[in-house]
């Protein structure tokens, strides 16, 4: 018996169903991750995740490519299999094996992105992986790299959102593991 039971769509609160449908529309997917369906039981969780995702991904001053690479590298570095598994098959076909991904995480300055995008990925990864050891020097460096104070706050919010998302995903998948 599973720790969590996935609800049927009709058993979700109406406000969750509406937000999950909007999520489908925004991401262009008909499939809904099991964790999103599970959290659909709790409209406030879905609302918080949905609004944060929408605001951070659709209104960010950073390129779509940089956002995608940053998410991929954060998920890989944190070993969030639930977050990363969907892309793993395609990445393997392109030659991005574990070692390559580890190298990309260790050296984001070598990514095939524009300089500003590489810097964004570098800082997002640093914040997501080692926020406890950030210093004022790190933020001065970000400003010297050309990021405004608002953009720095957006990088922090981006990294925090994906950390939160990974906690949700990993914990929910552990509960669903018996399914």
């Amino acid at each position: 018996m599973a720790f969590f039971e996935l609800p049927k769509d009709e058993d979700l609160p109406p406000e969750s169903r509406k937000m999950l449908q909007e999520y489908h529309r925004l991401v262009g997917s008909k499939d809904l991750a099991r964790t999103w369906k599970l959290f659909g039981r709790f409209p406030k969780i879905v609302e918080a995740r949905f609004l944060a995702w929408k605001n951070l991904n659709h209104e960010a001053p950073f390129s779509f490519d940089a956002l995608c690479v940053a998410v991929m590298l954060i998920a890989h570095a944190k070993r969030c299999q639930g977050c990363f598994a969907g892309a793993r098959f395609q990445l393997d076909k392109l030659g991005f094996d574990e070692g390559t991904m580890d190298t990309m995480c260790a050296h984001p300055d070598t990514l095939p992105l524009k300089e500003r995008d590489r810097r964004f990925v570098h800082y997002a990864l640093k914040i997501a992986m080692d926020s406890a050891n950030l210093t004022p020097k790190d933020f001065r460096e970000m400003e010297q790299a050309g990021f405004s104070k608002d953009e720095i706050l957006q990088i922090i919010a981006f990294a925090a959102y994906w950390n939160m998302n990974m906690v949700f995903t990993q914990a929910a998948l552990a509960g669903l593991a018996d399914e």
Side-chain angles (χ1 to χ4, degrees):
M1 180 65 141
F3 184 78
F4 291 125
E5 298 286 329
L6 284 178
K8 296 179 177 120
D9 287 351
E10 61 269 10
D11 293 337
L12 294 173
E15 57 271 30
S16 286
R17 279 197 309 268
K18 182 178 177 187
M19 284 183 276
L20 293 173
Q21 287 169 347
E22 177 66 4
Y23 173 79
H24 284 301
R25 186 187 70 74
L26 286 170
V27 299
S29 170
K30 292 187 183 343
D31 297 325
L32 183 64
R34 293 171 36 185
T35 54
W36 278 87
K37 192 169 198 169
L38 176 67
F39 288 114
R41 294 180 184 167
F42 306 99
K44 291 298 178 189
I45 292 174
V46 172
E47 179 181 14
R49 290 182 76 187
F50 170 74
L51 290 174
W53 183 89
K54 182 179 171 186
N55 289 333
L56 292 171
N57 288 294
H58 288 285
E59 299 171 13
F62 310 108
S63 78
F64 182 74
D65 289 346
L67 295 170
C68 291
V69 169
V71 170
M72 177 184 67
L73 292 181
I74 291 168
H76 176 76
K78 292 181 104 32
R79 300 299 195 248
C80 181
Q81 294 305 312
C83 299
F84 197 65
R88 181 79 265 157
F89 177 74
Q90 292 299 325
L91 290 167
D92 283 342
K93 283 179 24 180
L94 294 170
F96 292 96
D97 59 10
E98 286 288 313
T100 303
M101 297 300 296
D102 288 341
T103 300
M104 292 168 75
C105 288
H107 304 286
D109 53 312
T110 63
L111 293 169
L113 297 169
K114 294 178 181 174
E115 178 62 26
R116 180 176 167 79
D117 289 345
R118 281 195 302 272
R119 302 302 287 168
F120 162 76
V121 172
H122 168 80
Y123 293 123
L125 190 57
K126 183 174 186 165
I127 292 166
M129 297 305 297
D130 198 22
S131 61
N133 290 314
L134 292 172
T135 66
K137 180 181 175 235
D138 294 307
F139 295 100
R140 284 192 300 276
E141 181 183 308
M142 292 169 82
E143 281 187 297
Q144 290 169 353
F147 294 105
S148 70
K149 290 185 188 304
D150 286 346
E151 288 172 327
I152 293 168
L153 287 173
Q154 287 178 304
I155 296 169
I156 294 167
F158 177 87
Y161 171 77
W162 286 105
N163 275 336
M164 175 200 71
N165 189 56
M166 288 173 207
V167 169
F168 272 114
T169 299
Q170 290 169 322
L173 287 176
L176 291 168
D178 290 339
E179 223 176 62

